[in-house]
């Protein structure tokens, strides 16, 4: 034994892809084959690496989406609360963007609802959808 430390020399290195690169269209048959291989245990030795890679990719995609939303939202924009937001009673509520507070958006709701009696809602930008004019 070499001091009880695990070695990772035999493990493949992860390649981090450009998060702005277009994702290839998934091949349904290929995706099903990967699912079957995972279910069969073919990747058991690499589940931790795969899990981290998948989590990192999901994070990068959410950051990219958040940046895209940030570019689209500014003070005075009309928005609606998306169905991913919590608490659920806010789904579909409408309001007006007041400003950005760091990485959050301050929205004045059209009406008081639930604990938001002052009508002010602070939420992440991906919880909002910009309303189209007209």
């Amino acid at each position: 034994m070499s001091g009880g430390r695990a070695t990772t020399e035999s493990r493949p290195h992860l390649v981090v892809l450009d998060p702005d690169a277009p994702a290839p269209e998934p091949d349904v048959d290929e995706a099903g084959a990967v699912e079957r291989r995972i279910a069969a245990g073919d990747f058991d030795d690499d589940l931790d690496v795969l899990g981290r890679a998948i989590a990192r990719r999901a994070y990068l995609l959410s950051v990219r989406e958040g940046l895209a939303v940030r570019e689209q939202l500014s003070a005075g924009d009309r928005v609606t609360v998306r169905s991913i937001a919590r608490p659920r009673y806010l789904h579909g509520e409408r309001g007006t963007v007041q400003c950005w507070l760091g990485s959050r958006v301050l929205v004045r709701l059209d009406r008081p609802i639930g604990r938001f009696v002052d009508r002010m809602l602070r939420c992440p930008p991906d919880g909002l959808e910009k309303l189209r004019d007209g």
Side-chain angles (χ1 to χ4, degrees):
M1 278 194 189
S2 59
R5 295 190 78 195
T7 179
T8 58
E9 292 175 25
S10 63
R11 295 213 181 233
H13 295 282
L14 281 180
V15 175
V16 177
L17 302 176
D18 178 5
D20 294 325
E25 288 297 319
D27 181 345
V28 176
D29 291 335
E30 186 177 311
V34 170
E35 284 183 41
R36 285 189 295 279
R37 289 186 62 199
I38 290 171
D42 291 351
F43 299 108
D44 283 357
D45 292 339
D46 299 309
L47 286 179
D48 57 336
V49 173
L50 289 171
R52 287 193 305 272
I54 290 167
R56 179 70 178 157
R57 181 65 181 161
Y59 171 76
L60 290 173
L61 290 174
S62 70
V63 166
R64 183 172 66 181
E65 183 179 318
L67 290 173
V69 170
R70 187 175 184 112
E71 290 176 2
Q72 295 172 359
L73 290 178
S74 57
D77 285 344
R78 296 285 296 151
V79 293
T80 185
V81 179
R82 294 179 56 203
S83 62
I84 62 170
R86 297 291 181 265
R88 290 183 179 161
Y89 61 77
L90 290 173
H91 297 177
E93 290 297 319
R94 293 179 177 212
T96 304
V97 173
Q98 301 299 297
C99 64
W100 282 86
L101 298 171
S103 63
R104 305 275 185 190
V105 180
L106 183 64
V107 175
R108 181 172 177 83
L109 297 171
D110 290 348
R111 65 186 185 105
I113 183 169
R115 70 175 189 244
F116 302 95
V117 293
D118 63 355
R119 299 174 25 192
M120 300 306 281
L121 169 68
R122 187 180 66 190
C123 68
D126 60 349
L128 301 171
E129 182 177 330
K130 186 174 179 178
L131 294 172
R132 306 215 187 282
D133 293 334

